[in-house]
Amino acid sequence: MDIEGVLFTESEIQARVGSMAHEVAGHYRDEPCTVVSVLKGGFLFTADLIRHLTMPVSLSFAAVSSYGSGTTSGTLRLDLFPSGLEIRGRRVLLVDDILDTGRTLAFLRDRLIAAGARELKTCVFLDKTSRRTTDFRPDFRGFDVPDVFVAGYGLDFAGSYRNLPHIVAMRPRGS
Ligand code: PRP
């Protein structure tokens, strides 16, 4: 794969993160919330988003991997999950970089509710609505993206590019 071009510049990303934070803060007002950032990809967006939030924020992390046949149809497994104390009775905001089929966030949402979250909201930066195989809908989302391979701003291609401050579209080499 080669980089085809920039989909969102750093300044477009930062402007959208600021407006999303305003929406999120408007929902919580001054009430505390636990932000659960989905690793690895969600870490950059989470770091930028929470710096704009004005209510008391606790930060936790979760990680999920898929195993079995194929990449999208395998069984999901929890690799990391917050402790019960961080979730029980709390308002929880689940934050990720991209929503694709919706399986990852639906899986984590169900587990966080089972762990006793008092309220569960979801916040994604990119939404590939055309790829959805579940009825999952995020409460807060940044940009809709077409079904192209994207990298940067937390998203990797073969383990690289997560550190780019902008988001690029990739294309197969030579095409
Ligand atoms: C990506 C992304 C989401 C998930 C979305 O993570 O960060 O967590 O896929 O896909 P879904 O909606 O089809 O479940 P990935 O599994 O690539 O892990 P990473 O964040 O560690 O790169």
Side-chain angles (χ1 to χ4, degrees), residues 38-42 64-66 72 76 96-105 131-132 154-156 162:
V38 184
L39 297 175
K40 295 177 181 171
V64 169
S65 56
S66 183
T72 55
L76 295 180
D96 207 353
D97 53 354
I98 190 165
L99 185 57
D100 193 339
T101 65
R103 294 178 72 233
T104 302
L105 286 196
R131 293 260 308 160
R132 200 80 88 252
L155 294 145
D156 76 307
R162 291 193 199 272

Side-chain angles (χ1 to χ4, degrees), residues 51-70:
R51 273 180 278 192
H52 291 281
L53 298 179
T54 43
M55 71 281 193
V57 168
S58 306
L59 180 62
S60 298
F61 296 94
V64 169
S65 56
S66 183
Y67 69 101
S69 56

